[in-house]
Amino acid sequence: MARALEPQRRLLAVYTGGTIGMRSEQGVLVPGSGLAAVLRSLPMFHDEEYARACGLPEDTLVLPPAIPDQRVIYTVLECQPLFDSSDMTITEWVQIAQTIERHYGQYDGFVVIHGTDTMAFAASVLSFVLENLQKTVILTGAQVPIHALWNDSRENLLGALLMAGQYVIPEVCLFFQNQLFRGNRVTKVDSRRFAAFCSPHLPPLAVMGTDVTINWELVRKARGKAQLVVHSSMERDVGLLRLYPGIPAALVRAFLQPPLKGVVMETFGSGNGPTKPDLLRELRAAAERGLIILNCSHCLQGAVTSDYAAGMAMAGAGIVSGFDMTSEAALAKLSYVLGHPGLTPDDRKEEADAIREALVPSLACAAAHAGDLEVLQGSDLSLESFNGQTPLHAAARGGQPGAVTMLLRRGVDVDPRDEDGLSPLLLAVKGRHRGVIELLRAAGACLSLQELEDAGTELCRLAARADLEGLQSWWQAGADLSSPGYDGRSALLVAEAAGNLEVVTFLQNLKGGAGVQAPGPATL
Ligand code: ASP
């Protein structure tokens, strides 16, 4: 999706509190009101002359032009009361979602100004509460107040306004330190540095530098013209329990008592925990009562697997793998699934099973992505993940030739499309997983006409960056490497202009040799 080019784009900036607007009172920082007035006094946030010429109301500001002929006009809605985000809960986040819903028709995008301490929770919850988004929603905040001489507030807020004002990225995102992340993939990792957040398992959706680079292949596609739905019935009785060496079974038992309905259990390494029989007994008993236990690793990188005997799978089938979810996202998802009308555990086993399935719709996808052939062997391959990805998508994304081979042998569809229209072959190309590309091509997978059409611009980008492996992956997948990019230039011309000799030689050899088209099944 391209940059939105209407002459005026209107945003709603919902100011909920946080350091960004805080002031010092008796030596401590407290939430501060009047952010709009502060922004109005800063030329980078407001062009008074333009505002006057347009007769904009008092609470509405306009950014100076970032690109010719386009203005980002934004209204700051200050919440009452303002919060240090440590005090925010699901209730406040649902209210934010309802505010967005109330104003959805009037604005082109939304920025939520929020404290950083719980921003990853907020972004995760909003990503589940707001369904069918067609507009950009970006959370941002700062580590140092906007009043300070040296601060990150201005850069973060301006970046968020520009991203939401200029691009249609129809999902809940978090913008910090020049990077736009998927909201339910982030975690706060630093309380002092300006780079406060990281997204351990998903690259940024966009990076703002000299240019704005958007990873469109990662950006979720809007689903047709479906109406925005706000899921306000989130379950509040969910909890987070971090295992530690020697944790007493009695403590776990006390924690897991009703009214708790679901718990995210943070485990060691790839999903392991103590194997003491009394502890496992407590976990099993809780799962049998219908309590949903979602296993997430407290490691930042890696995922929950079934590699170890100490894996939590030992505690019984009732424990669901959270795979690579952050604890914040897992808690939000648990709250969403348990709050879903029609999915109430009520001690009834079938419903508890349905909830487990909804939480991790496909264990097969997790196993395929991790290349865990043992689990994959025994998994139901018909289940898709939340965005319609099949185990083959997951195996291709994870670059797992073993899993791909096993799935193909089991007769899965070689060219399925997920809800965003992506195929396993395209995911393998993006990941440069040459072995997987080869297997999929040999099984008859082809890039779609649309994928082939879109390839030109991507090929030019790879050529400019001297990314030979990327180009080879596209070629191997059957793309026509002479396809022009958006400006009509081919990858070869771009590589020549950039002086990327290795790429030039590769592309010239293809041209002069067997043809630019890769061998193999037809490419439509
Ligand atoms: N305690 C503050 C908050 O989360 C921290 C921040 O905004 O950076 O509201």
Side-chain angles (χ1 to χ4, degrees):
M1 200 171 310
R3 194 193 277 264
L5 278 174
E6 300 95 52
Q8 287 187 344
R9 299 263 301 158
R10 289 183 177 265
L11 303 180
L12 182 67
V14 184
Y15 172 43
T16 70
T19 296
I20 194 167
M22 283 193 182
R23 294 176 190 277
S24 180
E25 261 177 34
Q26 292 161 355
V28 290
L29 287 171
V30 292
S33 58
L35 184 65
V38 177
L39 298 177
R40 177 173 287 280
S41 70
L42 298 170
M44 67 199 282
F45 282 103
H46 183 59
D47 180 344
E48 180 61 29
E49 207 177 306
Y50 184 90
R52 233 185 264 138
C54 296
L56 295 181
E58 193 56 16
D59 63 348
T60 297
L61 310 177
V62 55
L63 293 182
I67 50 167
D69 304 325
Q70 195 193 48
R71 288 298 187 136
V72 176
I73 294 175
Y74 63 106
T75 300
V76 180
L77 183 71
E78 190 161 301
C79 296
Q80 290 298 338
L82 291 167
F83 281 95
D84 183 301
S85 76
S86 309
D87 280 324
M88 293 185 88
T89 65
I90 291 176
T91 303
E92 283 74 34
W93 296 324
V94 167
Q95 281 167 4
I96 295 172
Q98 287 166 336
T99 303
I100 290 175
E101 185 183 31
R102 266 198 310 281
H103 295 92
Y104 198 65
Q106 289 156 260
Y107 295 96
D108 300 304
F110 299 84
V111 170
V112 178
I113 304 166
H114 196 284
T116 60
D117 285 347
T118 62
M119 202 191 290
F121 288 95
S124 297
V125 168
L126 285 173
S127 76
F128 288 103
V129 171
L130 292 167
E131 196 180 310
N132 294 339
L133 268 179
Q134 313 269 346
K135 301 182 178 184
T136 315
V137 175
I138 302 180
L139 281 87
T140 195
Q143 301 273 57
V144 178
I146 199 160
H147 316 286
L149 180 60
W150 179 245
N151 67 75
D152 56 338
S153 298
R154 294 173 206 174
E155 200 176 294
N156 288 346
L157 182 54
L158 186 58
L161 289 167
L162 286 172
M163 289 301 305
Q166 296 184 53
Y167 299 94
V168 183
I169 299 180
E171 51 177 299
V172 175
C173 316
L174 186 151
F175 185 84
F176 226 85
Q177 266 274 289
N178 307 325
Q179 291 186 296
L180 186 76
F181 300 109
R182 174 161 298 154
N184 56 24
R185 282 291 179 173
V186 287
T187 190
K188 184 172 176 181
V189 287
D190 205 308
S191 63
R192 303 298 296 170
R193 285 172 207 263
F194 286 171
F197 290 90
C198 87
S199 170
H201 292 110
L202 191 79
L205 301 179
V207 178
M208 271 184 122
T210 315
D211 302 306
V212 177
T213 308
I214 307 216
N215 292 320
W216 286 114
E217 73 273 11
L218 295 178
V219 172
R220 198 150 279 162
K221 312 279 176 296
R223 311 238 159 91
K225 289 265 169 277
Q227 266 230 299
L228 177 74
V229 176
V230 172
H231 294 280
S232 48
S233 62
M234 300 285 277
E235 175 59 61
R236 271 42 169 200
D237 286 322
V238 290
L240 184 59
L241 173 68
R242 183 172 168 116
L243 295 186
Y244 56 88
I247 186 168
L251 190 146
V252 171
R253 188 225 294 267
F255 190 89
L256 301 183
Q257 292 309 304
L260 198 68
K261 298 200 178 66
V263 64
V264 174
M265 192 166 66
E266 279 192 10
T267 52
F268 312 135
S270 46
N272 309 319
T275 56
K276 289 189 303 171
D278 57 346
L279 180 74
L280 296 186
R281 221 176 9 251
E282 290 305 336
L283 294 174
R284 239 179 261 134
E288 273 159 24
R289 283 201 305 274
L291 185 91
I292 305 296
I293 304 176
L294 194 49
N295 181 7
C296 288
S297 170
H298 67 217
C299 291
L300 210 51
Q301 300 278 354
V304 170
T305 66
S306 59
D307 292 347
Y308 292 92
M312 272 296 130
M314 298 298 286
I319 298 187
V320 184
S321 164
F323 188 47
D324 67 356
M325 271 191 278
T326 60
S327 299
E328 294 92 328
L331 200 63
K333 192 169 183 187
L334 200 52
S335 172
Y336 163 75
V337 171
L338 287 169
H340 214 277
L343 281 182
T344 336
D346 286 343
D347 290 353
R348 283 172 31 210
K349 187 166 172 330
E350 319 83 73
E351 277 177 339
D353 287 347
I355 289 168
R356 287 192 186 99
E357 237 163 55
L359 273 170
V360 183
S362 174
L363 187 58
C365 287
H369 185 270
D372 190 333
L373 299 188
E374 211 175 309
V375 173
L376 190 59
Q377 185 69 48
S379 308
D380 178 356
L381 299 185
S382 62
L383 294 170
E384 293 175 348
S385 76
F386 71 96
N387 58 350
Q389 289 206 349
T390 64
L392 193 62
H393 283 98
R397 192 160 46 86
Q400 302 289 355
V404 170
T405 307
M406 178 185 275
L407 290 165
L408 293 174
R409 279 207 196 115
R410 284 180 67 181
V412 300
D413 176 6
V414 66
D415 238 349
R417 303 281 148 171
D418 69 9
E419 284 177 6
D420 296 335
L422 299 178
S423 64
L425 182 57
L426 189 70
L427 295 178
V429 170
K430 300 276 181 192
R432 298 160 176 67
H433 302 309
R434 310 279 306 273
V436 171
I437 299 171
E438 198 179 318
L439 288 167
L440 291 172
R441 290 285 285 157
C446 298
L447 293 172
S448 71
L449 204 53
Q450 186 61 50
E451 285 161 356
L452 289 166
E453 262 173 28
D454 293 346
T457 299
E458 175 64 9
L459 294 169
C460 292
R461 205 168 61 86
L462 296 170
R465 287 184 185 173
D467 188 339
L468 191 56
E469 221 194 331
L471 288 164
Q472 285 167 338
S473 299
W474 279 98
W475 174 72
Q476 202 185 350
D480 177 356
L481 296 202
S482 63
S483 311
Y486 69 93
D487 61 355
R489 292 194 305 164
S490 69
L492 180 56
L493 276 180
V494 171
E496 279 169 349
N500 296 332
L501 296 183
E502 217 186 346
V503 170
V504 170
T505 312
F506 168 68
L507 292 172
Q508 273 173 345
N509 282 347
L510 285 180
K511 215 171 169 184
V516 198
Q517 201 91 8
T523 52
L524 298 178

